[in-house]
Amino acid sequence: MHSFGYRANAVLAFSVTILALICGIASFSDNFNSPSPDAQVRVLNINWFRKKPDGNDEVSLTLNISANLESLFTWNTKQVFVFLAAEYKTPKNALNQVSLWDGIIPSKEKAKIRIHTTNKYRFIDQGSNLRGKDFNLTLHWHVMPKTGKMLRDNLVMSGFRLPEAYR
Amino acid sequence: MGWIEESVASIKSFKIRQALHQAVSLGMIVASALMIWKTLMCVTGSESPVVVVLSESMEPGFSRGDILFLYLSRDPIRVGEIVVYNIDGRDIPIVHRVIKVHERKDTGEVDILTKGDNNEGDDIPLYAPDQYWLQRHHIMGRAVGFLPYVGWATIIMTEKPIIKYVLISVLGLLAITSND
């Protein structure tokens, strides 16, 4: 009953239980954080706007993104993945979501971002619906924990209207 | 001399009973592990509720050996979610992030494009030839929870099968020789 094997087993089982419990508590403690990030995004320029040979519209934008995401970080946060998506409706599609830019914020110290960039991923429509199209710019974030539940949320920004003609 | 035969018989029957008991308890362990797994499959709606990260394509968020818990509800797939997908004809599922979603108005069908956070380009080269989008049926689950390092055990066991066999035989031996 009190052999070495039994004691080792008991110690191992106990420490695994405690570790699991601590992981659970760490993840649960994220619930007490109520983040209030703020962000502004401006479309500075339409670099070009064309219909691709396959018939789909494509546009290239220059964006200015500034955001303060410090409040998303807790002690259980490994990193925050932040990205900007264009969202719009077309006659064929009830929802189109296209990522334009994304970035990884590794720590709270780097959570104030101010970025001037062209769209990192190609903004291509399924079809030719982008002329004169209103779309919403939405800043999404995905909080990746050191352990436990992953959290995501977003902030809908001002809309933007694409011009009526290709350029 | 009858009492010798009697005691031999009792010892024999005892051995058999004990052996049967051990076999039953071993069977119970295996069966309950299977039951837990199948229950998890039912609850999460995903055909593999727990996956081990095998590649470095989602660094620094997910490293090799981390464990992800999957959940597949009826909610539509949205951009930014980390999904596990399986391409027809490939046996290893891939954990990557959704970067584009186009959802049809009439049928509700959805075109999804994914990308690994640590990869330069999107996943079209990983898809089947002439496949440019994922559909709903490729998605095995979306990652909702994360536990670091625990998956290393399975990585070591798949890469060094000898360790797996040693471990199984030691555990089996312990289960057979233990007296509870």
Side-chain angles (χ1 to χ4, degrees), chain A residues 78 94-97 122 126 148, chain B residues 61 100-103 111 146:
Chain A
K78 182 198 244 176
L95 178 69
N96 299 278
Q97 290 183 307
R122 297 175 75 179
Q126 281 193 330
Chain B
K100 287 183 187 181
V101 170
H102 296 282
E103 196 175 71
D111 283 339
F146 170 82

Side-chain angles (χ1 to χ4, degrees), chain A residues 1 6 23 78-79 81 83 85 87-100 102 104 120-126 140 142 144-152, chain B residues 58-63 66 68-69 77-82 97-106 111 115 117-120 122 133 143-148 178-180:
Chain A
M1 240 357 240
Y6 276 105
C23 288
K78 182 198 244 176
Q79 63 167 34
F81 185 87
F83 63 100
E87 305 188 356
Y88 59 97
K89 293 186 172 100
T90 55
K92 190 174 125 194
N93 291 339
L95 178 69
N96 299 278
Q97 290 183 307
V98 180
S99 273
L100 300 180
D102 62 22
I104 293 170
K120 182 172 162 185
Y121 305 116
R122 297 175 75 179
F123 187 172
I124 302 174
D125 183 38
Q126 281 193 330
H140 298 253
H142 192 140
M144 291 159 125
K146 291 199 168 106
T147 174
K149 195 175 184 312
M150 297 188 270
L151 307 163
R152 41 195 290 274
Chain B
M58 287 297 277
E59 289 269 7
F62 304 146
S63 318
D66 293 345
L68 296 178
F69 297 93
I77 305 284
R78 288 289 173 257
V79 81
E81 288 174 333
I82 296 170
R97 190 185 299 275
V98 175
I99 61 165
K100 287 183 187 181
V101 170
H102 296 282
E103 196 175 71
R104 295 287 170 283
K105 189 174 275 173
D106 40 0
D111 283 339
K115 174 184 173 287
D117 289 357
N118 197 29
N119 291 355
E120 277 301 311
D122 58 38
W133 302 98
V144 292
F146 170 82
L147 204 58
S178 69
N179 292 322
D180 300 325

Side-chain angles (χ1 to χ4, degrees), chain A residues 37-38 66-73 80 82 104-114:
Chain A
D38 72 306
S66 60
N68 181 352
L69 303 173
E70 284 177 340
S71 61
L72 293 174
F73 281 82
V80 170
V82 58
I104 293 170
I105 302 172
S107 67
K108 190 170 186 169
E109 288 69 40
K110 291 175 181 157
K112 269 188 182 158
I113 49 174
R114 183 171 285 277

Side-chain angles (χ1 to χ4, degrees), chain B residues 22-39 168 171-172 175:
Chain B
Q22 299 295 356
V24 167
S25 46
L26 200 66
M28 285 281 279
I29 292 169
V30 173
S32 34
L34 198 69
M35 273 166 64
I36 291 171
W37 183 252
K38 291 287 174 188
T39 313
I168 288 174
L171 283 180

Side-chain angles (χ1 to χ4, degrees), chain B residues 98-180:
Chain B
V98 175
I99 61 165
K100 287 183 187 181
V101 170
H102 296 282
E103 196 175 71
R104 295 287 170 283
K105 189 174 275 173
D106 40 0
T107 57
E109 277 173 37
V110 68
D111 283 339
I112 300 163
L113 180 67
T114 53
K115 174 184 173 287
D117 289 357
N118 197 29
N119 291 355
E120 277 301 311
D122 58 38
D123 282 357
I124 291 176
L126 298 177
Y127 299 165
D130 293 327
Q131 182 184 359
Y132 296 97
W133 302 98
L134 294 177
Q135 265 75 44
R136 179 81 195 196
H137 69 267
H138 293 114
I139 307 291
M140 293 168 64
R142 56 173 69 115
V144 292
F146 170 82
L147 204 58
Y149 310 123
V150 183
W152 269 114
T154 61
I155 290 187
I156 289 168
M157 277 192 253
T158 38
E159 286 181 359
K160 298 252 188 325
I162 184 86
I163 293 178
K164 178 165 62 182
Y165 298 130
V166 167
L167 206 67
I168 288 174
S169 41
V170 165
L171 283 180
L173 216 64
L174 276 178
I176 289 165
T177 53
S178 69
N179 292 322
D180 300 325

Side-chain angles (χ1 to χ4, degrees), chain A residues 54-67:
Chain A
D54 63 6
N56 293 335
D57 279 355
E58 176 171 11
V59 62
S60 166
L61 307 168
T62 300
L63 301 158
N64 188 307
I65 304 162
S66 60

